[in-house]
Amino acid sequence: MVEVTLWGALAAAAEGNSKVEVEAKDIRELFKRLSERFPGLEPLMDRGIAVAIDGNIYRDTWSKQLPAGAEIYLLPRLAGG
């Protein structure tokens, strides 16, 4: 079980929950479990989410293991130009 902080619009899409506990071993499983639990997150995930684990940002490394006790944040990806 890992505790995940949902940042910004992600918290609103997760029924107002800014922190959730999820049973997941890697980022891919984390996304799957979150979309099952909070279907409103799926469109945001499709647009792109950055995952910060203990201060390191992972954008496309979905097999990255989630260490027990890690500080995990999910952030909507920012687009700019």
Side-chain angles (χ1 to χ4, degrees):
M1 191 75 76
V2 293
E3 184 178 82
V4 180
T5 300
L6 303 172
W7 193 261
L10 297 175
E15 302 169 3
N17 293 293
S18 61
K19 287 189 186 266
V20 295
E21 288 192 351
V22 180
E23 185 70 41
K25 66 180 183 298
D26 58 29
I27 293 173
R28 179 176 284 111
E29 187 176 6
L30 174 65
F31 283 2
K32 180 181 180 212
R33 300 276 184 246
L34 284 171
S35 66
E36 290 170 352
R37 188 167 162 191
F38 304 109
L41 282 174
E42 199 158 2
L44 296 170
M45 287 185 201
D46 289 344
R47 282 188 235 141
I49 292 179
V51 180
I53 302 172
D54 291 332
N56 294 311
I57 296 177
Y58 299 87
R59 291 187 177 92
D60 297 309
T61 312
W62 306 137
S63 61
K64 171 67 179 160
Q65 297 292 307
L66 302 175
E71 183 176 72
I72 302 170
Y73 283 80
L74 298 186
L75 307 101
R77 284 200 187 170
L78 300 176

